């Protein structure tokens, strides 16, 4: 038996509920894998601010740095909206990403079987949507200096810097993914206006020459936002800078039916950080109504990309698909007169499917459809 240390950061709002849901599934998926999960829970965000006076306590950070992987719920609390930047819940998450050095944020979005028509798109347009946004996560406008705010003077500054190496390393992740998928990489920028984007484009082209099997195209971010609605199925891997990736990934959530569906993996050279794309959804918090699929699929990414457990990861993904095929829906996906189930009931059904398949008990009626997730990130090439 080997042990895997998972630092669990439930955070704020619906964070604790979806994290609990994901942990139950994670335990079930690893129950027979020969890996023992050693989980420890730590505060972050508004919860940490109340407990320790800071959104990222030292104890939380050191536990994450010492872990094999980090599972996070969400941060954000309207009660903290008036706090100065360094005390905001979001600042805790940004500091954690920076400290872990997780520069590549991988956000897959896929039209799941049974959810045709769940989003605002006509089913024939949404069908076949299967893309991955690779968002640069530790640079750009989010971290650029100088930055300042002087409300009295009426001035504010943010800066959008990128260095060649920052673009190169995240581009490598995106190209490796594209190579393992359908071989199309769309690099999204604003090179008609921003110098940073001109550098971005040139580095992406340079990295692209090492991947002759991947077709590279460049698209302006405004045009990409439109194309995602008009023809989302044509995209494969979308590579973009921090802020553009933040915006486009919420759009992708809407396109597949709910932001609550999207998982993410933030990868660097140390432990990975796995969290749903959505935030703390304050209006849903504490009501057992949030969709746990984003968190559960983040746990699957943790298994595959964080612990190298591709089998258990696929088990979780198939279980989610089967529970949807059986008709279970949380409130965000329920349509018409169809009833919905709560966060914990949905997660329990997924855990039960995992248990059933893991035990090798074939169900009389098997709705199983392969998820075909992006797959493990192949190791960096020695070129
Ligand atoms: P949000 O993602 O919390 O919610 C956006 C919309 O999606 C809301 O309508 C919400 O009800 C819905 N939604 C979100 N998660 C859902 C789920 N699991 N199931 C069903 N519906 C879901 O974004 P927001 O409202 O702009 O922000 C709320 C707070 O969360 C803010 O403080 C923000 O800074 C923070 N935030 C945190 C993260 C993160 O922790 N990674 C991400 C985004 C926003
Ligand atoms: C996300 C969130 C965060 C971001 C916030 C909470 C700092 O919106 O993970 O998408 O902007 O990166
Ligand atoms: Mn976001």
């Amino acid at each position: 038996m080997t042990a895997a240390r998972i630092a669990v950061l439930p955070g704020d709002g619906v964070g604790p509920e979806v994290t609990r849901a994901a942990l139950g599934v994670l335990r079930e998926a690893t129950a027979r894998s020969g890996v023992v999960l050693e989980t420890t829970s730590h505060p972050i965000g508004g919860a940490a601010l109340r407990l320790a006076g800071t959104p990222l306590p030292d104890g939380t950070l050191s536990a994450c740095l010492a872990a094999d992987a980090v599972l996070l719920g969400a941060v954000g609390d309207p009660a903290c909206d008036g706090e100065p930047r360094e005390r905001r819940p979001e600042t805790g998450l940004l500091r954690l990403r920076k400290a872990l050095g997780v520069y590549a944020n991988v956000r897959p979005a896929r039209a799941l079987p049974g959810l045709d028509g769940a989003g605002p798109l006509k089913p024939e347009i949404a069908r076949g949507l299967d893309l991955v946004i690779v968002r640069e996560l530790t640079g750009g406008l989010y971290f650029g200096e100088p930055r300042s705010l002087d409300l009295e003077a009426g001035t504010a500054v943010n800066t959008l810097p990128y260095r060649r190496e920052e673009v190169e390393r995240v581009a490598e992740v995106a190209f490796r993914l594209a190579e393992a998928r359908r071989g199309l990489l769309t690099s999204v920028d604003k090179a008609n206006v921003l110098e940073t984007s001109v550098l971005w484009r040139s580095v992406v082209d340079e990295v692209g020459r090492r991947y002759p099997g991947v077709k590279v195209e460049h698209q302006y971010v405004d045009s990409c936002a439109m194309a995602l609605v008009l023809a989302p199925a044509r995209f494969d891997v979308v590579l973009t800078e921090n802020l553009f990736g933040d915006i486009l990934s919420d759009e992708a959530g809407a396109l597949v039916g709910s932001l609550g569906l999207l998982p993410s993996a933030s990868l660097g050279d140390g432990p990975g950080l796995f969290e749903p794309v959505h935030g703390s959804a304050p209006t849903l918090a504490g009501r057992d109504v949030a969709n746990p699929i984003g968190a559960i699929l983040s746990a699957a990414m943790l298994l595959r990309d964080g612990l190298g457990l591709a089998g258990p990861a696929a088990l979780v993904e198939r279980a989610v698909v089967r529970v949807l095929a059986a008709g279970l829906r949380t409130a965000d996906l329920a349509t018409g007169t169809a009833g919905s189930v709560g966060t914990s009931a949905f997660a329990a059904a997924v855990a039960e499917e995992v248990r059933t398949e893991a035990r090798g008990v074939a169900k009389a009626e098997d709705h199983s459809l392969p998820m075909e997730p992006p797959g493990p990130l192949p190791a960096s090439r020695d070129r």
Side-chain angles (χ1 to χ4, degrees), residues 44 55-56 72 75 85 88-102 135 137-139 141-143 147 242 273 275:
I44 190 168
L56 182 65
L72 186 138
V75 298
R85 175 101 9 229
R88 283 196 64 106
E90 294 85 350
T91 302
L93 176 58
L94 297 176
R95 278 192 198 141
L96 176 63
R97 290 171 176 170
K98 192 75 171 174
L100 289 171
V102 286
R135 168 189 179 196
L137 200 62
T138 53
L141 259 178
Y142 275 59
F143 295 95
R147 62 188 294 164
N242 204 341
L273 169 64
E275 51 168 323

Side-chain angles (χ1 to χ4, degrees), residues 151-342:
L151 282 175
E152 263 168 43
T155 59
V157 176
N158 284 103
T159 307
L160 171 45
Y162 269 112
R163 285 179 292 108
R164 164 183 305 280
E165 312 81 69
E166 291 176 292
V167 182
E168 194 173 7
R169 63 188 183 177
V170 72
E172 279 281 348
V173 171
F175 274 103
R176 293 202 299 274
L177 258 178
E179 202 173 43
R181 288 173 49 97
R182 302 198 303 278
L184 174 64
L185 185 142
T186 307
S187 177
V188 173
D189 63 37
K190 189 71 187 173
N192 49 349
V193 177
L194 303 173
E195 283 74 10
T196 312
S197 289
V198 176
L199 173 70
W200 182 280
R201 244 178 216 222
S202 109
V203 177
V204 169
D205 280 336
E206 206 176 289
V207 176
R209 286 194 274 280
R210 301 178 212 150
Y211 292 85
V214 176
K215 179 178 167 1
V216 184
E217 60 179 24
H218 300 277
Q219 189 165 26
Y220 297 134
V221 62
D222 45 356
S223 156
C224 177
M226 185 179 76
L228 276 171
V229 174
L230 293 178
R234 69 169 299 282
F235 289 97
D236 181 11
V237 174
V238 175
L239 166 65
T240 191
E241 68 95 31
N242 204 341
L243 181 65
F244 298 159
D246 179 46
I247 297 167
L248 295 178
S249 53
D250 270 30
E251 185 183 357
L255 298 183
V256 295
S258 171
L259 184 52
L261 292 168
L262 297 195
S264 87
S266 303
L267 307 171
D269 300 323
L273 169 64
F274 301 86
E275 51 168 323
V277 170
H278 66 76
S280 58
T283 59
L284 310 183
R287 298 170 44 208
D288 194 40
V289 292
N291 191 332
I293 293 179
I296 292 171
L297 294 179
S298 299
M301 295 186 88
L302 182 154
L303 288 167
R304 182 182 290 106
D305 300 322
L307 304 181
L309 298 174
L315 195 62
V316 171
E317 289 155 349
R318 284 194 298 272
V320 168
V321 169
R322 278 204 296 274
V323 169
L324 286 172
L328 267 66
R329 301 279 184 276
T330 42
D332 53 325
L333 295 173
T335 47
T337 52
S340 61
V341 299

Side-chain angles (χ1 to χ4, degrees), residues 74-147:
V75 298
D77 183 343
C80 301
D81 281 351
E83 295 284 352
R85 175 101 9 229
E86 67 277 9
R87 285 170 57 85
R88 283 196 64 106
E90 294 85 350
T91 302
L93 176 58
L94 297 176
R95 278 192 198 141
L96 176 63
R97 290 171 176 170
K98 192 75 171 174
L100 289 171
V102 286
Y103 56 82
N105 181 215
V106 180
R107 297 186 156 185
R110 186 161 188 245
L112 289 173
L115 294 185
D116 272 11
L121 298 180
K122 295 179 189 126
E124 64 270 25
I125 291 180
R127 205 164 292 134
L129 192 167
D130 178 4
L131 58 84
V132 182
I133 295 173
V134 178
R135 168 189 179 196
E136 200 291 324
L137 200 62
T138 53
L141 259 178
Y142 275 59
F143 295 95
E145 296 287 347
R147 62 188 294 164

